[in-house]
Amino acid sequence: RQLGLTECRVSISSLWAHTPYTFDIQAVNGVSSKSPFPPQHVSVNITTNQAAPSTVPIMHQVSATMRSITLSWPQPEQP
């Protein structure tokens, strides 16, 4: 019976920009519990790069002339 992750890859989202993270990775199978040795894992350290641009959910036209337009939008939840 499979429990937890069932694929050989995982996607992690909603990480903060310029932030260090540590992921502990452990592989188990149907006989792992039978081993006389303690579970082994590897730690992977990463630091995220700059953030992707935030989406703009709504935009308002403040003013417009023949040569310019002024727009405004709400500040993102996570800059």
Side-chain angles (χ1 to χ4, degrees):
R1 186 172 75 140
Q2 294 180 335
L3 299 172
L5 300 175
T6 58
E7 300 292 324
C8 57
R9 71 180 75 182
V10 64
S11 179
I12 301 169
S13 60
S14 300
L15 300 177
W16 288 86
H18 303 287
T19 305
Y21 291 91
T22 300
F23 297 97
D24 292 332
I25 302 167
Q26 178 182 5
V28 295
N29 61 25
V31 297
S32 295
S33 62
K34 309 278 187 219
S35 174
F37 303 105
Q40 304 254 336
H41 71 276
V42 63
S43 293
V44 177
N45 297 309
I46 62 124
T47 299
T48 53
N49 204 340
Q50 65 188 19
S54 299
T55 59
V56 177
I58 189 166
M59 190 178 306
H60 301 283
Q61 177 180 326
V62 176
S63 64
T65 68
M66 292 292 288
R67 296 184 180 173
S68 70
I69 184 169
T70 303
L71 303 171
S72 72
W73 55 89
Q75 181 174 348
E77 292 178 19
Q78 297 180 357

